[in-house]
Amino acid sequence: MRVIARIAVGMCGALVATACGSGPVAPPTAPTQTLAQSISSGGPPVLTGPNIVSGVVSEGNRPIAGANISAWVDQGSSGYSYMWAHGALFSDAAGRYALVGLPAGVRVWLQTWKDGFVQQCAAPQITVRADAIVDLQLVSKANLSTSTAQAPVASLRSVSGVIVESREGRKQAVPGALVDFEPLEDFPAAITVSDTAGQFLLCGLPQDEPVFLGASSGPNHVAYVWVTPRQTTGVEITLP
């Protein structure tokens, strides 16, 4: 599954094993020109600026400490993983995080993960104009549901469906499959796990554009589908 290679864009292999490293790490300071130059020698140039994107990682109203946070920063002609450029970032004891050093005009997709949790609802992509607040939600795997209480937002949707595989010519539901929404290749912005009936739900997905979903129950059992704009139910992903 393409999402397994997420280390290349800065997220640990949460779909393979959600035991990502965690622990209190102070928010990084604004990058210096020297840092930007050293990064650009091994990858895309990293533009810097004075803006901060910050918020709280929580499950419902309960802050989550030690959650990993990263982002894909789209600079227009190039982009980079915030984690690749700045190192690992974790939420503090109150669930707070801060991405610093962002220039005006970049577009940012945020992601968060922690052992035992998934980011079932994608955070909206934002265009940085000034400092911004974006709160992130994690859901304990024990609390996953195929229904959501997410408040309706005109530009966003939830998408539900089922993961199946063919055995002896018959379709069977696949429980425990990992399902994700990838707005960019190898960059999951939302992840969930199919239930005992193979059903899944992802939320916070763009309403008026096609979205790309992937599913996996193991290295050789991977499939992808495009979901048409405004479709919210009836998505079937068949694993080989």
Side-chain angles (χ1 to χ4, degrees):
M1 188 172 187
R2 297 183 316 164
V3 291
I4 292 174
R6 72 193 59 220
I7 291 175
V9 296
M11 184 177 182
C12 75
L15 286 188
V16 182
T18 56
C20 306
S22 62
V25 175
T29 57
T32 64
Q33 187 62 29
T34 301
L35 173 60
Q37 290 171 343
S38 67
I39 291 172
S40 66
S41 66
V46 175
L47 306 177
T48 62
N51 302 302
I52 299 172
V53 174
S54 62
V56 174
V57 182
S58 61
E59 180 176 26
N61 296 321
R62 182 174 68 90
I64 303 295
N68 299 257
I69 299 97
S70 189
W72 181 258
V73 182
D74 182 353
Q75 304 179 124
S77 60
S78 64
Y80 65 91
S81 157
Y82 190 90
M83 181 176 173
W84 167 78
H86 299 277
L89 175 65
F90 299 87
S91 57
D92 68 13
R96 297 171 298 191
Y97 75 92
L99 278 64
V100 303
L102 298 170
V106 297
R107 297 194 300 169
V108 175
W109 278 105
L110 289 154
Q111 59 182 183
T112 181
W113 68 99
K114 185 178 181 179
D115 188 21
F117 295 83
V118 294
Q119 185 181 5
Q120 188 176 17
C121 290
Q125 185 185 39
I126 65 167
T127 299
V128 175
R129 306 294 185 194
D131 291 353
I133 296 176
V134 181
D135 293 331
L136 304 173
Q137 283 286 319
L138 286 172
V139 180
S140 167
K141 289 182 178 180
N143 295 332
L144 275 175
S145 173
T146 53
S147 62
T148 178
Q150 184 185 38
V153 178
S155 61
L156 302 176
R157 57 175 159 159
S158 297
V159 172
S160 62
V162 63
I163 310 301
V164 299
E165 62 183 359
S166 180
R167 290 187 178 179
E168 299 179 350
R170 301 179 62 183
K171 289 183 179 179
Q172 295 187 8
V174 181
L178 297 154
V179 190
D180 76 351
F181 158 54
E182 297 185 26
L184 302 162
E185 185 174 350
D186 293 336
F187 185 90
I191 302 176
T192 192
V193 181
S194 61
D195 67 11
T196 55
Q199 297 179 335
F200 72 91
L201 180 139
L202 293 166
C203 45
L205 280 57
Q207 175 78 279
D208 295 319
E209 59 187 74
V211 295
F212 191 66
L213 305 186
S216 173
S217 62
N220 298 316
H221 301 278
V222 179
Y224 301 93
V225 296
W226 282 101
V227 181
T228 57
R230 296 190 170 272
Q231 181 180 354
T232 58
T233 60
V235 176
E236 182 176 284
I237 304 178
T238 303
L239 299 178

